[in-house]
Amino acid sequence: MIRVALIPGDGVGPEVVREAERVMSACVAAGLADLRIETFPHGAEHYLGTGETLSDESFVRLRDEFDAILLGAVGDSRVPDGRHARDILLGLRFRLDLYVNFRPARLRLPELSPLRLADHRPIDFVIFRENTEGLYTGAGRIESEGETGERAVSEAIATRTGVERIVRRAFDYARSNGRTRVTLGDKANAVPHVYGLWRRVFSEVATDYAEIEADMQYVDALAMQLVRIPDRFEVIVTSNLLGDILSDLAAELVGGMGLAPSANVNPGRHALYEPVHGSAPDIAGTGTANPMAAILSTALLLRDAGADEGADRVEDAVDAALEAGIRTPDIGGSFTTGQVGTWIAERVAGD
Ligand code: NAD
Ligand code: IPM
Ligand code: MN
């Protein structure tokens, strides 16, 4: 039995999570996974109504009573400082120590890429984004607020332990998935303290993986190369903020935000799955959000939970939908969120 908590959240979050839930239920009906699903109300609406972002009670339940969390998205203009989103999403990442943010980028159909790919091999790489340090810890201060001499400081934190565990994870992944190269994205030329540590640790860890090429690139050049020769990349490991930026770029190379899944994990302990995209306020309520990123996130969930057959079936059903043109407008179709979700769920159920 896999115990799954849903946090649909804000904007298109509930719209895409509804379809992901439908697909999970189809897996259960088809005997591909044994799931128990419970929905949590946390998001902007709940915060505005109760003053509660993520209650301690919910946190403890999410931590102790579930194997996996599926989050839609958080972010709402009625909460301009984004406080609830930080407490819920970053709160769970930090408090559950979900140090791996795994963001795969695979081109599922050549026509989905905005690039001209005639001379390329398929795009198929993964990003390991460090998820608990960097510029995201909130460390910093405002001095002399509102005065001419105002100064804002946000501290980037890198610890040897924090860097080593994500770098090792990236190399382990490469080794167990037949990948031949791990690329570090950093900015050691301009930010020597933090990224100097990243480079040293990366080089040290690499010596334990002699069969894998260890490649270090400044992130600006890496971004350029991702567009120019995306097929060169296999596994990218990088810091929190750089990984955030690179993963939106990566998503766009393979069809866009509507297709990009992710997993935030503390291996063997806790996991939170979510589409890479946000609450997409510009299209929320129009029924046009692409549910595939959320659905593919459930495939990552099922695979990590040991339900490989269910994961395969979900991925195959998404591929079949793409092939058959069952697509939302972001990828050139005219189907609604619900129609795409229904089609995929039926395919998974084998109807
Ligand atoms: P966004 O990812 O929500 O949207 C960027 C663009 O991609 C928009 O044009 C949007 O319409 C499109 N898009 C996103 N998801 C889509 C989908 N499923 N189908 C089709 N098109 C899709 O990024 P943003 O606009 O910068 O952020 C909006 C809000 O979401 C902000 O409050 C932000 O903080 C929050 N956010 C939350 C998460 C999360 O919860 N994991 C991630 C990113 C952003
Ligand atoms: C993501 C999002 C979050 C992040 C925001 C909503 C804090 O952009 O998951 O990619 O920056 O990590
Ligand atoms: Mn992001």
Side-chain angles (χ1 to χ4, degrees), residues 102 104 106 124-126 128 168-182 209 211-212 233-235 300 303-304 308:
F102 176 75
R106 181 154 75 83
D124 186 7
F125 63 89
V126 297
F128 281 81
R168 263 193 201 285
R169 198 77 200 163
F171 275 98
D172 283 341
Y173 176 91
R175 179 172 275 170
S176 46
N177 289 275
R179 304 297 184 110
T180 61
R181 181 188 296 124
V182 177
Y209 302 83
E211 79 282 16
I212 294 165
F233 294 92
E234 299 182 24
V235 178
L300 295 179
R303 201 171 297 289
D304 286 350
D308 282 300

Side-chain angles (χ1 to χ4, degrees), residues 93 103 129 136 243-245 247-248 257 276-278:
R93 287 181 185 164
R103 298 188 156 184
R129 167 185 174 189
Y136 275 67
D244 179 44
I245 299 166
S247 55
D248 271 31
M257 303 306 291
V276 172
H277 68 71

